[in-house]
Every structure is written in C-alpha cells, then in structure tokens.
Amino acid sequence: MSSLIMIYASMTGNTGEMAEAIAEGVRSSGLDLVEKEVMDASAADLEAYDGILLGAYTWGDGELPDVFLDLYEDMDQLDLAGKKVAVFGSCDSAYEHVGAAVDLLIAKAAERGAEVVLEGLKVELAPTAAEKEKCRSFGEAFAKHFG
C-alpha cells in the first residue's frame, strides 16, 4: 500500500480547513494519510512517502510563510524522483501574486524530480462549503494516483 503524507502551514485556519477537507477526500478512498503541521515536520520526512501533499498560505506579496522556509530550503537536498505531489493553499487576491506559495512549492517539487499530479488548488481566504467540497474532490483525485 502506498504511503501518503500531508504537510501544511496555517496561520488563520484557512489552509487548515482546506487540509482537513483534502484529508477527508484521501481517506474516503480507503487510503491512510499522515498529517503534520510544517513546524512538526522536516524535509527528510518527504523521502519516506510515495505521495506528498503540501499546503501553504501565501504571505505578504507572494512569499511562503516563514514557518515553511526551512523545509522549503532543505528540499534542495532531496531526490523526490518517483514521488507524486500535489499542492494547495489559501490566498488573498488583494495582493499582486495570488497564491504564489502554491506555485513556489509546485516548482520546488518538480525541480527535485517529483511528479506533480494535480494543478495547484488555491482558495480565496476561508473556504466556503462549495470550496470545501472542491478540496475533498482534490483529495479523492490525489488518491486515485495510488489505487
């Protein structure tokens, strides 16, 4: 059975709500998922899993949150070939670079050899009920890559 991990950062709870709904989608497919907040994870954790979900809100004018920077920088030491990755995060269209943290994580995963299997999922601020359903579907779609 494939091993899956989700590592995310959430300051206001928006990305955390997304993570919860995505995890429901993955688990509804009968798969197990390890969930960690980024402060409790390390880049080395990623090497132990077949599937990786990364979640981060976009901070400031298009940056990763500070709590995600160590893991992001440490990813430079990893070979993620053979790993399947998907990325999600909350964002705010009041800023010029909407959801740029999602784009940064996708680029880093691809640079390290991972196969990015889904388009990044971005939600404006707090997810609505319909957006939570979209998050669940995102989790289900990710899980299909391991069936």
Side-chain angles (χ1 to χ4, degrees):
M1 178 178 262
S2 297
S3 57
L4 309 177
I5 189 168
M6 173 191 289
I7 298 175
Y8 68 95
S10 185
M11 183 170 70
T12 61
N14 298 340
T15 303
E17 286 184 50
M18 292 179 71
E20 186 177 300
I22 291 167
E24 287 174 16
V26 169
R27 291 188 176 112
S28 74
S29 300
L31 299 175
D32 290 328
L33 176 68
V34 173
E35 293 177 68
K36 291 186 175 192
E37 290 196 33
V38 72
M39 291 174 23
D40 300 323
S42 71
D45 292 338
L46 303 178
E47 292 184 308
Y49 294 87
D50 302 312
I52 302 164
L53 287 157
L54 298 173
Y57 58 93
T58 299
W59 182 249
D61 194 30
E63 296 137 27
L64 282 167
D66 288 346
V67 296
F68 223 110
L69 291 177
D70 285 345
L71 187 137
Y72 178 81
E73 291 167 2
D74 290 348
M75 285 175 71
D76 286 336
Q77 310 306 314
L78 303 180
D79 176 2
L80 297 180
K83 311 289 184 189
K84 294 179 180 175
V85 173
V87 183
F88 64 94
S90 62
C91 54
D92 186 342
S93 62
Y95 292 95
E96 180 180 355
H97 303 287
V98 180
V102 171
D103 303 328
L104 288 168
L105 289 170
I106 287 172
K108 180 63 76 178
E111 172 190 303
R112 303 312 310 151
E115 177 187 359
V116 179
V117 296
L118 298 173
E119 184 176 324
L121 178 61
K122 300 175 184 180
V123 169
E124 175 85 8
L125 303 173
T128 64
E131 288 167 331
K132 285 182 184 179
E133 189 53 43
K134 189 173 181 180
C135 290
R136 276 188 280 281
S137 295
F138 185 85
E140 291 168 3
F142 185 71
K144 286 181 182 173
H145 292 277
F146 304 94

PDB file of all heavy atoms in Angstrom, residues 96-132:
ATOM      1  N   GLU A  96      -0.736  41.209  -5.315  1.00  0.00           N
ATOM      2  CA  GLU A  96      -0.383  41.065  -6.730  1.00  0.00           C
ATOM      3  C   GLU A  96      -0.161  39.609  -7.132  1.00  0.00           C
ATOM      4  O   GLU A  96      -0.596  39.167  -8.186  1.00  0.00           O
ATOM      5  CB  GLU A  96       0.882  41.879  -7.021  1.00  0.00           C
ATOM      6  CG  GLU A  96       1.321  41.802  -8.463  1.00  0.00           C
ATOM      7  CD  GLU A  96       2.586  42.606  -8.741  1.00  0.00           C
ATOM      8  OE1 GLU A  96       3.077  43.314  -7.835  1.00  0.00           O
ATOM      9  OE2 GLU A  96       3.070  42.512  -9.876  1.00  0.00           O
ATOM     10  N   HIS A  97       0.540  38.846  -6.301  1.00  0.00           N
ATOM     11  CA  HIS A  97       0.885  37.462  -6.634  1.00  0.00           C
ATOM     12  C   HIS A  97      -0.040  36.510  -5.871  1.00  0.00           C
ATOM     13  O   HIS A  97       0.319  35.998  -4.814  1.00  0.00           O
ATOM     14  CB  HIS A  97       2.350  37.187  -6.315  1.00  0.00           C
ATOM     15  CG  HIS A  97       3.278  38.124  -7.018  1.00  0.00           C
ATOM     16  ND1 HIS A  97       3.529  38.051  -8.373  1.00  0.00           N
ATOM     17  CD2 HIS A  97       3.995  39.180  -6.571  1.00  0.00           C
ATOM     18  CE1 HIS A  97       4.371  39.010  -8.719  1.00  0.00           C
ATOM     19  NE2 HIS A  97       4.662  39.715  -7.640  1.00  0.00           N
ATOM     20  N   VAL A  98      -1.200  36.269  -6.414  1.00  0.00           N
ATOM     21  CA  VAL A  98      -2.237  35.482  -5.741  1.00  0.00           C
ATOM     22  C   VAL A  98      -1.825  34.006  -5.664  1.00  0.00           C
ATOM     23  O   VAL A  98      -1.582  33.365  -6.682  1.00  0.00           O
ATOM     24  CB  VAL A  98      -3.589  35.619  -6.471  1.00  0.00           C
ATOM     25  CG1 VAL A  98      -4.663  34.796  -5.781  1.00  0.00           C
ATOM     26  CG2 VAL A  98      -3.995  37.082  -6.546  1.00  0.00           C
ATOM     27  N   GLY A  99      -1.736  33.516  -4.440  1.00  0.00           N
ATOM     28  CA  GLY A  99      -1.437  32.092  -4.235  1.00  0.00           C
ATOM     29  C   GLY A  99      -0.038  31.693  -4.663  1.00  0.00           C
ATOM     30  O   GLY A  99       0.209  30.532  -4.984  1.00  0.00           O
ATOM     31  N   ALA A 100       0.895  32.613  -4.629  1.00  0.00           N
ATOM     32  CA  ALA A 100       2.254  32.325  -5.101  1.00  0.00           C
ATOM     33  C   ALA A 100       2.938  31.226  -4.298  1.00  0.00           C
ATOM     34  O   ALA A 100       3.801  30.518  -4.830  1.00  0.00           O
ATOM     35  CB  ALA A 100       3.100  33.592  -5.093  1.00  0.00           C
ATOM     36  N   ALA A 101       2.578  31.044  -3.042  1.00  0.00           N
ATOM     37  CA  ALA A 101       3.190  29.970  -2.245  1.00  0.00           C
ATOM     38  C   ALA A 101       2.917  28.606  -2.872  1.00  0.00           C
ATOM     39  O   ALA A 101       3.797  27.740  -2.901  1.00  0.00           O
ATOM     40  CB  ALA A 101       2.670  30.009  -0.809  1.00  0.00           C
ATOM     41  N   VAL A 102       1.714  28.425  -3.392  1.00  0.00           N
ATOM     42  CA  VAL A 102       1.367  27.171  -4.073  1.00  0.00           C
ATOM     43  C   VAL A 102       2.288  26.982  -5.276  1.00  0.00           C
ATOM     44  O   VAL A 102       2.857  25.904  -5.481  1.00  0.00           O
ATOM     45  CB  VAL A 102      -0.126  27.172  -4.492  1.00  0.00           C
ATOM     46  CG1 VAL A 102      -0.448  25.986  -5.380  1.00  0.00           C
ATOM     47  CG2 VAL A 102      -1.016  27.179  -3.256  1.00  0.00           C
ATOM     48  N   ASP A 103       2.461  28.030  -6.062  1.00  0.00           N
ATOM     49  CA  ASP A 103       3.314  27.953  -7.251  1.00  0.00           C
ATOM     50  C   ASP A 103       4.773  27.668  -6.884  1.00  0.00           C
ATOM     51  O   ASP A 103       5.447  26.883  -7.559  1.00  0.00           O
ATOM     52  CB  ASP A 103       3.223  29.255  -8.049  1.00  0.00           C
ATOM     53  CG  ASP A 103       1.793  29.586  -8.457  1.00  0.00           C
ATOM     54  OD1 ASP A 103       0.998  28.650  -8.691  1.00  0.00           O
ATOM     55  OD2 ASP A 103       1.474  30.787  -8.541  1.00  0.00           O
ATOM     56  N   LEU A 104       5.270  28.301  -5.808  1.00  0.00           N
ATOM     57  CA  LEU A 104       6.648  28.068  -5.365  1.00  0.00           C
ATOM     58  C   LEU A 104       6.870  26.606  -4.970  1.00  0.00           C
ATOM     59  O   LEU A 104       7.891  26.006  -5.316  1.00  0.00           O
ATOM     60  CB  LEU A 104       6.983  28.975  -4.179  1.00  0.00           C
ATOM     61  CG  LEU A 104       7.161  30.453  -4.486  1.00  0.00           C
ATOM     62  CD1 LEU A 104       7.191  31.264  -3.185  1.00  0.00           C
ATOM     63  CD2 LEU A 104       8.431  30.687  -5.290  1.00  0.00           C
ATOM     64  N   LEU A 105       5.909  26.031  -4.250  1.00  0.00           N
ATOM     65  CA  LEU A 105       6.045  24.638  -3.813  1.00  0.00           C
ATOM     66  C   LEU A 105       5.944  23.667  -4.986  1.00  0.00           C
ATOM     67  O   LEU A 105       6.661  22.658  -5.029  1.00  0.00           O
ATOM     68  CB  LEU A 105       5.019  24.312  -2.731  1.00  0.00           C
ATOM     69  CG  LEU A 105       5.287  24.979  -1.387  1.00  0.00           C
ATOM     70  CD1 LEU A 105       4.102  24.798  -0.451  1.00  0.00           C
ATOM     71  CD2 LEU A 105       6.562  24.440  -0.756  1.00  0.00           C
ATOM     72  N   ILE A 106       5.080  23.954  -5.939  1.00  0.00           N
ATOM     73  CA  ILE A 106       4.986  23.110  -7.142  1.00  0.00           C
ATOM     74  C   ILE A 106       6.317  23.128  -7.887  1.00  0.00           C
ATOM     75  O   ILE A 106       6.838  22.081  -8.283  1.00  0.00           O
ATOM     76  CB  ILE A 106       3.826  23.579  -8.052  1.00  0.00           C
ATOM     77  CG1 ILE A 106       2.477  23.197  -7.428  1.00  0.00           C
ATOM     78  CG2 ILE A 106       3.963  22.992  -9.456  1.00  0.00           C
ATOM     79  CD1 ILE A 106       1.276  23.788  -8.144  1.00  0.00           C
ATOM     80  N   ALA A 107       6.868  24.315  -8.082  1.00  0.00           N
ATOM     81  CA  ALA A 107       8.133  24.438  -8.803  1.00  0.00           C
ATOM     82  C   ALA A 107       9.255  23.700  -8.081  1.00  0.00           C
ATOM     83  O   ALA A 107      10.074  23.015  -8.712  1.00  0.00           O
ATOM     84  CB  ALA A 107       8.487  25.908  -8.994  1.00  0.00           C
ATOM     85  N   LYS A 108       9.308  23.819  -6.757  1.00  0.00           N
ATOM     86  CA  LYS A 108      10.362  23.154  -5.982  1.00  0.00           C
ATOM     87  C   LYS A 108      10.226  21.631  -6.071  1.00  0.00           C
ATOM     88  O   LYS A 108      11.214  20.920  -6.263  1.00  0.00           O
ATOM     89  CB  LYS A 108      10.323  23.606  -4.520  1.00  0.00           C
ATOM     90  CG  LYS A 108      11.382  22.965  -3.635  1.00  0.00           C
ATOM     91  CD  LYS A 108      12.801  23.311  -4.029  1.00  0.00           C
ATOM     92  CE  LYS A 108      13.142  24.709  -3.580  1.00  0.00           C
ATOM     93  NZ  LYS A 108      14.541  25.073  -3.907  1.00  0.00           N
ATOM     94  N   ALA A 109       9.012  21.123  -5.941  1.00  0.00           N
ATOM     95  CA  ALA A 109       8.801  19.674  -6.021  1.00  0.00           C
ATOM     96  C   ALA A 109       9.224  19.145  -7.395  1.00  0.00           C
ATOM     97  O   ALA A 109       9.914  18.123  -7.491  1.00  0.00           O
ATOM     98  CB  ALA A 109       7.340  19.342  -5.738  1.00  0.00           C
ATOM     99  N   ALA A 110       8.826  19.853  -8.446  1.00  0.00           N
ATOM    100  CA  ALA A 110       9.194  19.434  -9.803  1.00  0.00           C
ATOM    101  C   ALA A 110      10.709  19.510 -10.002  1.00  0.00           C
ATOM    102  O   ALA A 110      11.316  18.600 -10.590  1.00  0.00           O
ATOM    103  CB  ALA A 110       8.468  20.300 -10.826  1.00  0.00           C
ATOM    104  N   GLU A 111      11.320  20.558  -9.492  1.00  0.00           N
ATOM    105  CA  GLU A 111      12.776  20.729  -9.594  1.00  0.00           C
ATOM    106  C   GLU A 111      13.513  19.577  -8.927  1.00  0.00           C
ATOM    107  O   GLU A 111      14.571  19.144  -9.382  1.00  0.00           O
ATOM    108  CB  GLU A 111      13.156  22.049  -8.915  1.00  0.00           C
ATOM    109  CG  GLU A 111      14.632  22.304  -8.756  1.00  0.00           C
ATOM    110  CD  GLU A 111      14.882  23.507  -7.849  1.00  0.00           C
ATOM    111  OE1 GLU A 111      14.373  24.597  -8.153  1.00  0.00           O
ATOM    112  OE2 GLU A 111      15.575  23.341  -6.822  1.00  0.00           O
ATOM    113  N   ARG A 112      12.945  19.041  -7.846  1.00  0.00           N
ATOM    114  CA  ARG A 112      13.574  17.945  -7.100  1.00  0.00           C
ATOM    115  C   ARG A 112      13.209  16.581  -7.678  1.00  0.00           C
ATOM    116  O   ARG A 112      13.545  15.556  -7.105  1.00  0.00           O
ATOM    117  CB  ARG A 112      13.208  18.007  -5.610  1.00  0.00           C
ATOM    118  CG  ARG A 112      13.566  19.330  -4.910  1.00  0.00           C
ATOM    119  CD  ARG A 112      14.978  19.858  -5.166  1.00  0.00           C
ATOM    120  NE  ARG A 112      15.995  18.851  -4.942  1.00  0.00           N
ATOM    121  CZ  ARG A 112      17.166  18.832  -5.585  1.00  0.00           C
ATOM    122  NH1 ARG A 112      17.470  19.730  -6.472  1.00  0.00           N
ATOM    123  NH2 ARG A 112      18.045  17.880  -5.331  1.00  0.00           N
ATOM    124  N   GLY A 113      12.474  16.548  -8.803  1.00  0.00           N
ATOM    125  CA  GLY A 113      12.207  15.296  -9.501  1.00  0.00           C
ATOM    126  C   GLY A 113      10.844  14.682  -9.260  1.00  0.00           C
ATOM    127  O   GLY A 113      10.527  13.631  -9.825  1.00  0.00           O
ATOM    128  N   ALA A 114      10.018  15.299  -8.433  1.00  0.00           N
ATOM    129  CA  ALA A 114       8.685  14.741  -8.163  1.00  0.00           C
ATOM    130  C   ALA A 114       7.772  14.937  -9.361  1.00  0.00           C
ATOM    131  O   ALA A 114       7.959  15.846 -10.177  1.00  0.00           O
ATOM    132  CB  ALA A 114       8.075  15.421  -6.937  1.00  0.00           C
ATOM    133  N   GLU A 115       6.776  14.087  -9.452  1.00  0.00           N
ATOM    134  CA  GLU A 115       5.735  14.235 -10.460  1.00  0.00           C
ATOM    135  C   GLU A 115       4.573  14.994  -9.814  1.00  0.00           C
ATOM    136  O   GLU A 115       3.944  14.495  -8.875  1.00  0.00           O
ATOM    137  CB  GLU A 115       5.257  12.863 -10.937  1.00  0.00           C
ATOM    138  CG  GLU A 115       4.127  12.933 -11.935  1.00  0.00           C
ATOM    139  CD  GLU A 115       3.537  11.579 -12.287  1.00  0.00           C
ATOM    140  OE1 GLU A 115       4.023  10.541 -11.768  1.00  0.00           O
ATOM    141  OE2 GLU A 115       2.570  11.561 -13.062  1.00  0.00           O
ATOM    142  N   VAL A 116       4.314  16.194 -10.293  1.00  0.00           N
ATOM    143  CA  VAL A 116       3.187  16.972  -9.785  1.00  0.00           C
ATOM    144  C   VAL A 116       1.949  16.481 -10.533  1.00  0.00           C
ATOM    145  O   VAL A 116       1.828  16.671 -11.742  1.00  0.00           O
ATOM    146  CB  VAL A 116       3.419  18.488  -9.979  1.00  0.00           C
ATOM    147  CG1 VAL A 116       2.227  19.276  -9.458  1.00  0.00           C
ATOM    148  CG2 VAL A 116       4.697  18.914  -9.265  1.00  0.00           C
ATOM    149  N   VAL A 117       1.031  15.822  -9.803  1.00  0.00           N
ATOM    150  CA  VAL A 117      -0.057  15.090 -10.453  1.00  0.00           C
ATOM    151  C   VAL A 117      -1.365  15.871 -10.563  1.00  0.00           C
ATOM    152  O   VAL A 117      -2.279  15.434 -11.266  1.00  0.00           O
ATOM    153  CB  VAL A 117      -0.310  13.732  -9.762  1.00  0.00           C
ATOM    154  CG1 VAL A 117       0.917  12.829  -9.908  1.00  0.00           C
ATOM    155  CG2 VAL A 117      -0.669  13.912  -8.291  1.00  0.00           C
ATOM    156  N   LEU A 118      -1.473  17.007  -9.870  1.00  0.00           N
ATOM    157  CA  LEU A 118      -2.673  17.833  -9.941  1.00  0.00           C
ATOM    158  C   LEU A 118      -2.282  19.293 -10.052  1.00  0.00           C
ATOM    159  O   LEU A 118      -1.248  19.710  -9.530  1.00  0.00           O
ATOM    160  CB  LEU A 118      -3.548  17.662  -8.678  1.00  0.00           C
ATOM    161  CG  LEU A 118      -4.124  16.283  -8.385  1.00  0.00           C
ATOM    162  CD1 LEU A 118      -4.805  16.288  -7.022  1.00  0.00           C
ATOM    163  CD2 LEU A 118      -5.105  15.863  -9.467  1.00  0.00           C
ATOM    164  N   GLU A 119      -3.138  20.062 -10.690  1.00  0.00           N
ATOM    165  CA  GLU A 119      -2.945  21.506 -10.706  1.00  0.00           C
ATOM    166  C   GLU A 119      -3.095  22.023  -9.280  1.00  0.00           C
ATOM    167  O   GLU A 119      -3.925  21.531  -8.518  1.00  0.00           O
ATOM    168  CB  GLU A 119      -4.008  22.136 -11.607  1.00  0.00           C
ATOM    169  CG  GLU A 119      -3.863  23.621 -11.794  1.00  0.00           C
ATOM    170  CD  GLU A 119      -4.883  24.175 -12.767  1.00  0.00           C
ATOM    171  OE1 GLU A 119      -5.215  23.491 -13.744  1.00  0.00           O
ATOM    172  OE2 GLU A 119      -5.352  25.303 -12.513  1.00  0.00           O
ATOM    173  N   GLY A 120      -2.297  23.007  -8.909  1.00  0.00           N
ATOM    174  CA  GLY A 120      -2.375  23.552  -7.566  1.00  0.00           C
ATOM    175  C   GLY A 120      -3.772  24.065  -7.240  1.00  0.00           C
ATOM    176  O   GLY A 120      -4.444  24.650  -8.094  1.00  0.00           O
ATOM    177  N   LEU A 121      -4.218  23.829  -6.017  1.00  0.00           N
ATOM    178  CA  LEU A 121      -5.546  24.255  -5.572  1.00  0.00           C
ATOM    179  C   LEU A 121      -5.404  25.498  -4.700  1.00  0.00           C
ATOM    180  O   LEU A 121      -4.757  25.460  -3.655  1.00  0.00           O
ATOM    181  CB  LEU A 121      -6.220  23.130  -4.780  1.00  0.00           C
ATOM    182  CG  LEU A 121      -7.604  23.434  -4.200  1.00  0.00           C
ATOM    183  CD1 LEU A 121      -8.602  23.769  -5.312  1.00  0.00           C
ATOM    184  CD2 LEU A 121      -8.099  22.263  -3.377  1.00  0.00           C
ATOM    185  N   LYS A 122      -6.010  26.585  -5.159  1.00  0.00           N
ATOM    186  CA  LYS A 122      -5.959  27.857  -4.437  1.00  0.00           C
ATOM    187  C   LYS A 122      -7.380  28.265  -4.067  1.00  0.00           C
ATOM    188  O   LYS A 122      -8.274  28.213  -4.903  1.00  0.00           O
ATOM    189  CB  LYS A 122      -5.331  28.946  -5.306  1.00  0.00           C
ATOM    190  CG  LYS A 122      -3.912  28.640  -5.732  1.00  0.00           C
ATOM    191  CD  LYS A 122      -3.389  29.696  -6.688  1.00  0.00           C
ATOM    192  CE  LYS A 122      -1.991  29.354  -7.197  1.00  0.00           C
ATOM    193  NZ  LYS A 122      -1.492  30.390  -8.137  1.00  0.00           N
ATOM    194  N   VAL A 123      -7.555  28.675  -2.821  1.00  0.00           N
ATOM    195  CA  VAL A 123      -8.850  29.128  -2.330  1.00  0.00           C
ATOM    196  C   VAL A 123      -8.673  30.521  -1.747  1.00  0.00           C
ATOM    197  O   VAL A 123      -7.743  30.774  -0.982  1.00  0.00           O
ATOM    198  CB  VAL A 123      -9.410  28.153  -1.265  1.00  0.00           C
ATOM    199  CG1 VAL A 123     -10.617  28.746  -0.568  1.00  0.00           C
ATOM    200  CG2 VAL A 123      -9.761  26.818  -1.902  1.00  0.00           C
ATOM    201  N   GLU A 124      -9.578  31.402  -2.112  1.00  0.00           N
ATOM    202  CA  GLU A 124      -9.571  32.771  -1.610  1.00  0.00           C
ATOM    203  C   GLU A 124      -9.998  32.781  -0.143  1.00  0.00           C
ATOM    204  O   GLU A 124     -11.141  32.413   0.192  1.00  0.00           O
ATOM    205  CB  GLU A 124     -10.525  33.626  -2.449  1.00  0.00           C
ATOM    206  CG  GLU A 124     -10.691  35.029  -1.974  1.00  0.00           C
ATOM    207  CD  GLU A 124      -9.608  35.981  -2.493  1.00  0.00           C
ATOM    208  OE1 GLU A 124      -8.810  35.573  -3.345  1.00  0.00           O
ATOM    209  OE2 GLU A 124      -9.579  37.117  -2.026  1.00  0.00           O
ATOM    210  N   LEU A 125      -9.065  33.151   0.742  1.00  0.00           N
ATOM    211  CA  LEU A 125      -9.315  33.272   2.179  1.00  0.00           C
ATOM    212  C   LEU A 125      -9.934  31.999   2.747  1.00  0.00           C
ATOM    213  O   LEU A 125      -9.435  30.914   2.495  1.00  0.00           O
ATOM    214  CB  LEU A 125     -10.149  34.521   2.458  1.00  0.00           C
ATOM    215  CG  LEU A 125      -9.520  35.831   1.947  1.00  0.00           C
ATOM    216  CD1 LEU A 125     -10.482  37.001   2.119  1.00  0.00           C
ATOM    217  CD2 LEU A 125      -8.197  36.101   2.640  1.00  0.00           C
ATOM    218  N   ALA A 126     -11.016  32.099   3.518  1.00  0.00           N
ATOM    219  CA  ALA A 126     -11.624  30.916   4.143  1.00  0.00           C
ATOM    220  C   ALA A 126     -12.455  30.150   3.125  1.00  0.00           C
ATOM    221  O   ALA A 126     -13.230  30.755   2.380  1.00  0.00           O
ATOM    222  CB  ALA A 126     -12.503  31.335   5.319  1.00  0.00           C
ATOM    223  N   PRO A 127     -12.304  28.830   3.072  1.00  0.00           N
ATOM    224  CA  PRO A 127     -13.079  28.056   2.101  1.00  0.00           C
ATOM    225  C   PRO A 127     -14.569  28.039   2.443  1.00  0.00           C
ATOM    226  O   PRO A 127     -14.957  27.837   3.592  1.00  0.00           O
ATOM    227  CB  PRO A 127     -12.471  26.662   2.181  1.00  0.00           C
ATOM    228  CG  PRO A 127     -11.772  26.601   3.496  1.00  0.00           C
ATOM    229  CD  PRO A 127     -11.399  28.003   3.863  1.00  0.00           C
ATOM    230  N   THR A 128     -15.384  28.257   1.422  1.00  0.00           N
ATOM    231  CA  THR A 128     -16.835  28.136   1.555  1.00  0.00           C
ATOM    232  C   THR A 128     -17.195  26.652   1.569  1.00  0.00           C
ATOM    233  O   THR A 128     -16.338  25.788   1.327  1.00  0.00           O
ATOM    234  CB  THR A 128     -17.541  28.802   0.364  1.00  0.00           C
ATOM    235  OG1 THR A 128     -17.173  28.080  -0.833  1.00  0.00           O
ATOM    236  CG2 THR A 128     -17.170  30.271   0.221  1.00  0.00           C
ATOM    237  N   ALA A 129     -18.454  26.349   1.795  1.00  0.00           N
ATOM    238  CA  ALA A 129     -18.903  24.948   1.766  1.00  0.00           C
ATOM    239  C   ALA A 129     -18.606  24.329   0.399  1.00  0.00           C
ATOM    240  O   ALA A 129     -18.134  23.187   0.312  1.00  0.00           O
ATOM    241  CB  ALA A 129     -20.390  24.858   2.094  1.00  0.00           C
ATOM    242  N   ALA A 130     -18.850  25.070  -0.669  1.00  0.00           N
ATOM    243  CA  ALA A 130     -18.584  24.558  -2.016  1.00  0.00           C
ATOM    244  C   ALA A 130     -17.089  24.346  -2.235  1.00  0.00           C
ATOM    245  O   ALA A 130     -16.673  23.361  -2.870  1.00  0.00           O
ATOM    246  CB  ALA A 130     -19.138  25.520  -3.070  1.00  0.00           C
ATOM    247  N   GLU A 131     -16.276  25.245  -1.699  1.00  0.00           N
ATOM    248  CA  GLU A 131     -14.823  25.096  -1.848  1.00  0.00           C
ATOM    249  C   GLU A 131     -14.294  23.944  -1.003  1.00  0.00           C
ATOM    250  O   GLU A 131     -13.352  23.257  -1.401  1.00  0.00           O
ATOM    251  CB  GLU A 131     -14.119  26.403  -1.501  1.00  0.00           C
ATOM    252  CG  GLU A 131     -14.337  27.465  -2.576  1.00  0.00           C
ATOM    253  CD  GLU A 131     -13.936  28.859  -2.141  1.00  0.00           C
ATOM    254  OE1 GLU A 131     -13.995  29.173  -0.927  1.00  0.00           O
ATOM    255  OE2 GLU A 131     -13.567  29.644  -3.039  1.00  0.00           O
ATOM    256  N   LYS A 132     -14.913  23.693   0.147  1.00  0.00           N
ATOM    257  CA  LYS A 132     -14.517  22.527   0.945  1.00  0.00           C
ATOM    258  C   LYS A 132     -14.815  21.249   0.174  1.00  0.00           C
ATOM    259  O   LYS A 132     -14.039  20.292   0.226  1.00  0.00           O
ATOM    260  CB  LYS A 132     -15.227  22.523   2.299  1.00  0.00           C
ATOM    261  CG  LYS A 132     -14.657  23.539   3.264  1.00  0.00           C
ATOM    262  CD  LYS A 132     -15.361  23.456   4.604  1.00  0.00           C
ATOM    263  CE  LYS A 132     -14.867  24.546   5.538  1.00  0.00           C
ATOM    264  NZ  LYS A 132     -15.547  24.514   6.832  1.00  0.00           N
TER     265      LYS A 132
END
